[in-house]
Amino acid sequence: PIHSAGPALVFVSSREGAKMGSLESEIAKTQEVLQPLIQRPQLKEKFLSKPPFRFLHDIVTSLRGSTGFGEGLYEGEELESSSFKDREGKVEFLEKLLALIGVCL
């Protein structure tokens, strides 16, 4: 499952309810699991520890393209990060993603 630890996006490879490790170890797990699935963006520690919206958007759309995860969740302008000009649109995008992840868990 994917968890948010403060502002960080981290992947926990163990079962639900398991304690998370240090931020550094969780970032390493995220890089190990997700990077082989996407060519872009590079999952650099700097961005995983405090991800800007565009970085998250690029990860989501890249995973959608390579694995089909979230296919049909976003359409049209939502697939272009440049179409998000205000906070409200960005929050809506992320809320959809969190709802999908919740369903998958």
Side-chain angles (χ1 to χ4, degrees), residues 19-83:
K19 289 185 179 181
M20 290 179 53
S22 70
L23 179 59
E24 292 80 16
S25 69
E26 297 302 328
I27 286 173
K29 287 179 194 175
T30 301
Q31 291 168 321
E32 181 182 330
V33 172
L34 291 182
Q35 195 65 76
L37 300 175
I38 59 176
Q39 291 182 358
R40 181 183 150 285
Q42 290 296 307
L43 301 178
K44 298 195 182 285
E45 184 175 347
K46 171 185 173 183
F47 294 119
L48 287 170
S49 64
K50 189 172 181 183
F53 176 78
R54 169 112 190 232
F55 181 72
L56 295 175
H57 185 277
D58 289 350
I59 291 171
V60 170
T61 55
S62 291
L63 280 172
R64 178 182 171 268
S66 66
T67 68
F69 180 75
E71 188 72 41
L73 184 64
Y74 303 109
E75 51 190 41
E77 288 186 349
E78 290 178 310
L79 297 172
E80 298 296 325
S81 61
S82 62
S83 68

